[in-house]
Amino acid sequence: MSDGKHSVFLLHSATALEHLAKAALAARHPSLIAVAAKDNFESLLLLVGETKAAKPGAKIRTIGAREALDRAGRYAPECTALIDDLRLLVWVRDGVVHLADASAATVDEVLVPYLKASEELREVLGMDRGAYWNGFVDLVDEALKEHVEQARLRVEAALAVAHREFERRFAKDSDDAKKAVLTAIEESYFPLEKYEEQLLDCPACGTPAVVSGALHEEYDEDWDHREGILVGVHLLVRFIPIRLLCRACHLRLSSRDEMDAAGIGESWYLEDVDERDFLGDWGDFEP
């Protein structure tokens, strides 16, 4: 990257991230990197070590970069929130990007998402930072620190502008008129995407704003430790906020870093989740 070899950087970073995601999966179990297809049973046999049962000459078919990141997101939820920002690297691995067209701008576009996803997956693997990044730890830290500072400055400016816009917009309205307008604005957000969109108080004006995000499924096991049996499993769905839109003051936040800088980046567990929406018929299962 520092030598201006933009296409080489994109290719190598895309490859490294794909391998890191697959390593995080394979560390859990090698079968997690197998292509989920009816005609890929041979790969599954080879990956779980059943080489004698596999057909002669069978080869392993593993998942691509997008699927690897999607699956790894089960263990590294922040990766799920970065998928859109990593689209260019996924395209590189899928061979649909002309690398000859790569420029410094395209490298800047994916550098920080690549570093953040790599850090998340590295932690899942329990790898030492120095061992993974070798001589580039300081560069990684500086790039991430600079990005956070830039996000903070952008958000401070955006909050100030949005606050002034809110004051200007309602300066001449009576309390009743203001309340009526804000109620209409809140109702305009509906219908929300069932789980991927939530309402949250705007950090600039305090009125409800719509937040879109990513979902992370977790499972809470209820054990009878005296009998040593599993009594039940409960689905927990964590919402990771990514973007915000407020129609009252026109504030827009478009990344996890900006949400964090605005003080509303913490994830939370959703209430009133219908397990059937995530588990299908298994959501009706009673032990």
Side-chain angles (χ1 to χ4, degrees), residues 14-275:
T15 303
L17 189 60
E18 179 184 4
H19 287 183
L20 189 58
K22 288 181 178 178
L25 292 168
R28 299 274 176 162
H29 197 280
S31 63
L32 294 177
I33 64 173
V35 173
K38 293 181 179 178
D39 62 348
N40 199 38
F41 184 56
E42 303 303 319
S43 290
L44 197 59
L45 289 172
L46 294 173
L47 286 167
V48 299
E50 294 291 336
T51 55
K52 293 182 179 179
K55 294 179 180 179
K59 297 185 181 298
I60 295 176
R61 288 168 52 206
T62 64
I63 52 180
R66 172 65 194 239
E67 182 66 18
L69 289 168
D70 281 340
R71 294 186 187 184
R74 299 293 184 97
Y75 310 106
E78 289 295 331
C79 281
T80 303
L82 289 168
I83 287 293
D84 288 344
D85 296 328
L86 295 169
R87 185 183 295 113
L88 177 58
L89 293 185
V90 172
W91 287 346
V92 169
R93 292 305 292 150
D94 290 344
V96 297
V97 170
H98 298 289
L99 290 175
D101 297 333
S103 65
T106 55
V107 168
D108 288 341
E109 179 184 337
V110 298
L111 176 60
V112 169
Y114 159 66
L115 296 178
K116 292 174 69 173
S118 298
E119 281 288 87
E120 181 82 0
L121 293 168
R122 179 194 58 76
E123 290 184 5
V124 168
L125 279 168
M127 294 182 66
D128 178 74
R129 295 189 79 225
Y132 184 75
W133 292 113
N134 201 4
F136 295 100
V137 174
D138 290 343
L139 184 148
V140 171
D141 286 341
E142 187 61 31
L144 293 175
K145 181 180 178 181
E146 181 180 343
H147 182 74
V148 169
E149 179 62 17
Q150 290 174 350
R152 184 187 66 81
L153 293 174
R154 288 198 308 272
V155 169
E156 286 184 356
L159 290 174
V161 170
H163 183 73
R164 287 198 301 270
E165 170 63 16
F166 185 81
E167 293 295 326
R168 182 201 62 77
R169 184 176 185 182
F170 296 101
K172 299 180 180 180
D173 290 341
S174 66
D175 289 343
D176 288 341
K178 178 180 177 180
K179 182 178 180 180
V181 173
L182 293 179
T183 299
I185 289 174
E186 182 176 352
E187 291 176 350
S188 73
Y189 296 130
F190 294 94
L192 297 170
E193 289 291 331
K194 192 167 186 180
Y195 300 110
E196 289 83 359
E197 291 182 342
Q198 301 291 322
L199 291 183
L200 190 68
D201 286 348
C202 173
C205 67
T207 62
V210 64
V211 175
S212 58
L215 304 176
H216 181 60
E217 300 169 30
E218 301 175 11
Y219 298 91
D220 181 32
E221 298 178 350
D222 183 12
W223 284 86
D224 184 333
H225 294 288
R226 177 176 297 180
E227 299 294 332
I229 59 174
L230 181 63
V231 177
V233 178
H234 306 285
L235 173 68
L236 301 174
V237 179
R238 184 147 59 99
F239 179 80
I240 304 171
I242 301 176
R243 289 175 290 273
L244 175 141
L245 168 64
C246 179
R247 291 175 179 161
C249 66
H250 301 151
L251 176 68
R252 287 180 180 269
L253 302 176
S254 57
S255 70
R256 291 281 291 135
D257 288 313
E258 291 186 357
M259 298 291 283
D260 285 334
I264 53 173
E266 289 291 325
S267 61
W268 68 87
Y269 290 101
L270 299 181
E271 299 179 357
D272 301 324
V273 171
D274 187 340
E275 295 189 357

